[in-house]
Amino acid sequence: MSSTQPRPVYVIGAGPGGLAVAAALRARGVRAVVVEKSDGVGASWRGHYARLHLHTTRRLSALPGLAIPRRFGRWVSRDDVVRYLEKYAEFHELELVTGVEVTRIERAPAAAGAGDGAGDGAAAGEGPGWLLHASGGRVLAGRAVVVATGFNHTPRLPDWPGRDTYTGALAHASAYRDPKPYEGRDVLVVGAGNTGAEIAVDLAEGGAARVRLAVRTAPHIVRRSTAGWPAQRTGILVRRLPVRLVDRLGALTAKVSVPDLTAYGLPRPESGLYSRVRQGAIPVQDVGLIAAVRAGTVEPVAAVEAFDGAEVVLADGSRITPDAVVAATGYRRGLEGLIGHLDVLDERGRPLAHGRRTPAQAPGLYFTGFTNPISGMFREMALDAEKIAKALARRLGVRAEARRAAAHLPNTGLRPVDPPA
């Protein structure tokens, strides 16, 4: 079967990373089709708690080719992020297929010839491409694949001893929306990252009778903005500096800008700020935590060790009896079922290659959005999108005339596909 249109590059995930890559590819004359398992773009953002705002500035969070509207303010809200992503897909006329979940990615056989043109239109040296197994028995053939399923994909809930015996309400932070269900209740928030800290403040301000924050490792706390200078800009400036130097600068800055909360149960961290970042722990941006801890409306306590009926056992041996527990205990990337068989993940389930780099054992497979950089995730995804598009256009042999023709690609708009019954 012949085909005048080459196989597309498939982008898995219609969050900011996936949309940015698709737009950058389209601008270079490479056909990209975004496949999203939910019914619209920005699914993870739609599911976040209502209070959430970007911790990075509007100007430094825009994706390639479209600025975030000024009316959204400096710190863009959850709902406005979703609006921006919807507009972004429309503005760039992205091919978007929704309601279809890709469950497994495999290298295509060298002689593949699927009915949608799997064996046609390949550039010299491109290779056989990829097969995507999707819901409803679909098999999609692509020239290359960009995985953009998200850093926060699968909620991680620790298997605490006695967890199943707990008689209170236990929920992962991914299920938290607003404090209304917790009004008048005693709540324990587990995890002192940005999510846990912000949910604890939200609960305290939203009418919870008592809010405690279980802390295993004291976090670095930074001001989101100091005298108009956002913490994100500092992160951009220091990202390439030696770790020890940034650790020293961070300690000096903290002493000047962040009060010592040791007397309140939240001591200064022992390890350096950038050392923690390199281990995957981003500093907590203060959006009310400092004031809440000093006022006593959020009480830091020791880490959770176990559950025992109505009681929660803490690492210091104490026991408390909260009505509800919100576990802000992070996420897994959830890539094992999709690509675990390709030997492209490290021991923690993270891609071995990222951005413009493609694994030697899986050429043509790219990843974006699987790091949590100090310089801002949206900003880095925007930069990665341009790098991936450039690398892929070169790999696929897309010439300048194809790039000029990109403006004439068909406008498919948002094309939802009904999920199988």
Side-chain angles (χ1 to χ4, degrees):
M1 177 178 179
S2 62
S3 173
T4 59
Q5 192 171 33
R7 293 169 292 164
V9 171
Y10 280 105
V11 180
I12 305 175
L19 297 180
V21 169
L25 285 169
R26 190 180 190 281
R28 289 182 174 271
V30 178
R31 184 185 174 212
V33 176
V34 182
V35 183
E36 167 59 45
K37 69 178 182 179
S38 69
D39 59 1
V41 304
S44 63
W45 274 89
R46 296 174 193 275
H48 286 316
Y49 49 94
R51 178 193 180 98
L52 182 64
H53 286 67
L54 281 177
H55 289 165
T56 54
T57 66
R58 171 182 57 81
R59 294 185 65 181
L60 294 175
S61 301
L63 303 179
L66 184 66
I68 299 177
R70 291 178 60 88
R71 68 178 182 276
F72 288 174
R74 193 182 198 195
W75 312 104
V76 184
S77 71
R78 177 200 67 175
D79 291 345
D80 283 338
V81 168
V82 173
R83 293 186 184 98
Y84 172 67
L85 296 178
E86 290 174 337
K87 182 63 178 179
Y88 191 84
E90 177 186 353
F91 179 82
H92 287 292
E93 301 179 308
L94 302 182
E95 287 192 68
L96 177 63
V97 177
T98 60
V100 174
E101 180 179 8
V102 177
T103 56
R104 185 177 175 89
I105 301 173
E106 295 179 340
R107 292 298 304 271
D116 63 350
D120 307 311
E126 178 185 332
W130 295 88
L131 296 179
L132 286 67
H133 298 266
S135 54
R138 301 172 178 87
V139 179
L140 310 172
R143 307 168 78 184
V145 179
V146 182
V147 180
T149 50
F151 187 84
N152 295 333
H153 184 272
T154 305
R156 186 183 69 85
L157 189 64
D159 188 18
W160 288 296
R163 189 184 74 184
D164 294 340
T165 71
Y166 181 56
T167 57
L170 171 62
H172 189 271
S174 59
Y176 179 88
R177 296 294 176 268
D178 59 64
K180 189 171 181 58
Y182 299 92
E183 289 180 0
R185 305 177 75 186
D186 183 332
V187 187
L188 172 67
V189 179
V190 184
N194 276 291
T195 298
E198 191 159 1
I199 287 177
V201 173
D202 198 34
L203 288 164
E205 295 178 352
R210 185 176 188 180
V211 180
R212 283 172 283 202
L213 179 63
V215 182
R216 183 170 298 279
T217 304
H220 286 273
I221 302 175
V222 298
R223 300 288 188 182
R224 187 168 65 174
S225 180
T226 303
W229 179 267
Q232 181 189 7
R233 287 198 178 275
T234 301
I236 294 170
L237 292 175
V238 305
R239 191 178 181 195
R240 305 298 180 187
L241 295 178
V243 173
R244 290 184 180 180
L245 175 59
V246 180
D247 283 348
R248 288 196 294 269
L249 292 173
L252 291 173
T253 302
K255 288 182 179 179
V256 173
S257 62
V258 178
D260 186 354
L261 300 175
T262 301
Y264 301 92
L266 198 60
R268 293 192 187 278
E270 295 180 1
S271 57
L273 184 150
Y274 204 27
S275 293
R276 292 285 305 281
V277 169
R278 295 294 290 269
Q279 296 167 2
I282 295 297
V284 170
Q285 292 207 14
D286 178 42
V287 289
L289 179 64
I290 293 174
V293 169
R294 297 177 82 177
T297 56
V298 171
E299 308 168 47
V301 297
V304 171
E305 287 294 308
F307 288 80
D308 184 9
E311 296 183 323
V312 179
V313 184
L314 303 181
D316 60 4
S318 61
R319 291 170 174 255
I320 59 176
T321 312
D323 301 315
V325 175
V326 178
T329 47
Y331 296 79
R332 295 185 294 106
R333 310 296 83 80
L335 294 170
E336 289 79 6
L338 186 68
I339 54 172
H341 56 286
L342 297 175
D343 194 27
V344 295
L345 302 177
D346 66 14
E347 67 281 357
R348 296 170 61 183
R350 302 172 303 182
L352 292 170
H354 199 268
R356 66 172 176 265
R357 299 190 307 275
T358 183
Q361 65 273 39
L365 181 64
Y366 296 82
F367 300 89
T368 185
F370 292 98
T371 62
N372 195 11
I374 195 173
S375 51
M377 187 175 284
F378 270 55
R379 177 182 182 273
E380 294 304 321
M381 286 190 292
L383 295 174
D384 274 350
E386 299 284 10
K387 294 173 183 177
I388 291 172
K390 182 178 180 180
L392 257 174
R394 185 186 301 115
R395 180 181 187 83
L396 300 178
V398 177
R399 296 186 174 87
E401 56 265 28
R403 299 179 193 177
R404 288 193 292 270
H408 304 292
L409 289 175
N411 177 8
T412 59
L414 301 180
R415 302 191 306 163
V417 174
D418 292 334

